[in-house]
Amino acid sequence: MTNAAMKDKKRIVVKVGTSSLVHEETGLMDLDRLEKLVRVLTDLHNSGKEVILVSSGAIAVGVKRLGLKEKPKAKAGKQACAAVGQANLMMLYQKIFGEYGVTAAQILITKYTMIEDISRRNARATFAELLKMGVIPVVNENDTVSTDEIEFGDNDTLSAIVAALVGADLLILLSDIEGLYTDDPKKSSDARFIDVVEKIDDEILAMGKGAGSAVGTGGMCTKIEAARIATDSGADMIIAPATQMNVINRILAGEKVGTLFVAHKNENFHLIDYLSKSRKK
Ligand code: GLU
């Protein structure tokens, strides 16, 4: 797989993290970025691609909406914030996608929905139906009812699970991190940028020990875990900076941006086995 083949991708999952959706200084929604994201995704959709958005931000948006100074420490407090924030976020997505003439749908998933055969099959069928109808599904964890998701869950892994579930051929993780470095570039001047990862070996895993951002949940560790799921399931995965939303167009045009993890479909990879193992952790 080369970057040049990106234009042939058909089913694309794009994940955007909380830190890419809110202003760093205030924690309030970055509407300019949100609008640009929606515009780029709509254009992708209009060009004939099937697009799924995995969006974080429910808790952060809820915190601000409720006028709280910071994210509550207690689980119920976070879940209440997510309940408020998710509705607010979807209202904005539906409004902006609607302005561009596209219908957005909300799909909320928990680990348990994915583990249970019936609900996982239902979820897969719903995704297929929505894509057939020309709708853009907007996915998040169902933070309001999930128990361990808020503590352990992250949307990097979730987006890879969604990519595997729907048989996507490309997963793009938009992040405030521009890609994978051999070391933390903030701490080490020797840190080298990696543009392609053919195989996720111990050396790559060791590079994933970087910290996450102030508002997001995932760090490089969860991104590498996501890459493992996505590439095993047969999808390429790219970590790219969310500073300019047209990075998505540049990726699809075959430009080398961010870090590409090359798909290597593993016939022994079964989503349900992966989920069952992660449940026992
Ligand atoms: N599901 C969480 C939210 O929407 C975010 C999880 C994450 O940051 O990865 O607030």
Side-chain angles (χ1 to χ4, degrees), residues 18 56-59 140 143 154-155 217:
T18 304
S56 305
I59 299 175
N140 198 355
D143 296 319
D154 67 85
N155 280 4
T217 308

Side-chain angles (χ1 to χ4, degrees), residues 27-250:
L28 291 164
M29 293 288 301
D30 188 334
L31 292 172
D32 185 48
R33 248 202 230 180
L34 191 76
E35 291 224 14
K36 283 181 178 140
L37 170 68
V38 170
R39 187 173 189 279
V40 168
L41 295 183
T42 302
D43 209 28
L44 216 57
H45 166 87
N46 290 352
S47 73
K49 311 283 184 197
E50 293 174 329
V51 180
I52 295 172
L53 172 65
V54 176
S55 174
S56 305
I59 299 175
V61 170
V63 167
K64 287 292 158 186
R65 195 72 197 183
L66 289 162
L68 306 178
K69 287 216 166 49
E70 57 185 37
K71 184 155 102 175
K73 301 223 171 6
K75 194 176 290 172
K78 285 181 201 146
Q79 291 182 312
C81 287
V84 172
Q86 178 64 26
N88 200 229
L89 206 54
M90 268 328 287
M91 188 269 288
L92 282 169
Y93 277 126
Q94 287 213 306
K95 177 180 181 293
I96 309 172
F97 273 116
E99 282 170 7
Y100 288 114
V102 172
T103 302
Q106 171 182 261
I107 298 196
L108 298 178
I109 291 175
T110 69
K111 217 186 270 179
Y112 302 106
T113 356
M114 299 299 276
I115 290 169
E116 297 306 325
D117 284 346
I118 296 176
S119 52
R120 189 180 62 259
R121 277 189 216 126
N122 283 348
R124 186 184 284 128
T126 306
F127 272 113
E129 197 62 25
L130 287 168
L131 292 174
K132 207 161 76 187
M133 289 169 163
V135 172
I136 297 190
V138 180
V139 187
N140 198 355
E141 282 191 31
N142 195 351
D143 296 319
T144 56
V145 295
S146 56
T147 48
D148 56 6
E149 266 82 344
I150 283 178
E151 280 162 25
F152 305 112
D154 67 85
N155 280 4
D156 293 330
T157 316
L158 175 70
S159 62
I161 287 171
V162 168
L165 180 78
V166 303
D169 42 18
L170 176 64
L171 167 63
I172 301 175
L173 297 189
L174 294 175
S175 171
D176 52 354
I177 304 166
E178 59 186 303
L180 181 64
Y181 282 89
T182 51
D183 203 348
D184 185 345
K186 288 187 195 118
K187 292 186 191 142
S188 163
S189 57
D190 292 336
R192 201 167 40 80
F193 191 73
I194 313 250
D195 51 8
V196 182
V197 175
E198 299 278 353
K199 190 168 176 286
I200 302 167
D201 52 20
D202 290 347
E203 207 185 336
I204 296 292
L205 290 173
M207 291 171 198
K209 303 256 158 67
S213 66
V215 280
T217 308
M220 193 46 83
C221 239
T222 57
K223 289 181 177 48
I224 291 179
E225 185 56 26
R228 221 204 298 229
I229 303 166
T231 56
D232 268 354
S233 80
D236 283 316
M237 189 189 102
I238 295 187
I239 303 172
T243 38
Q244 302 284 325
M245 286 301 175
N246 72 353
V247 74
I248 299 172
N249 303 103
R250 291 167 51 209

Side-chain angles (χ1 to χ4, degrees), residues 214-281:
V215 280
T217 308
M220 193 46 83
C221 239
T222 57
K223 289 181 177 48
I224 291 179
E225 185 56 26
R228 221 204 298 229
I229 303 166
T231 56
D232 268 354
S233 80
D236 283 316
M237 189 189 102
I238 295 187
I239 303 172
T243 38
Q244 302 284 325
M245 286 301 175
N246 72 353
V247 74
I248 299 172
N249 303 103
R250 291 167 51 209
I251 290 170
L252 270 294
E255 207 180 300
K256 265 193 170 185
V257 261
T259 301
L260 165 67
F261 293 79
V262 181
H264 47 79
K265 193 161 173 49
N266 174 356
E267 296 305 333
N268 296 321
F269 174 79
H270 300 290
L271 187 57
I272 186 63
D273 296 342
Y274 173 83
L275 290 162
S276 312
K277 263 185 246 143
S278 70
R279 182 193 212 176
K280 289 188 198 107
K281 267 183 203 166

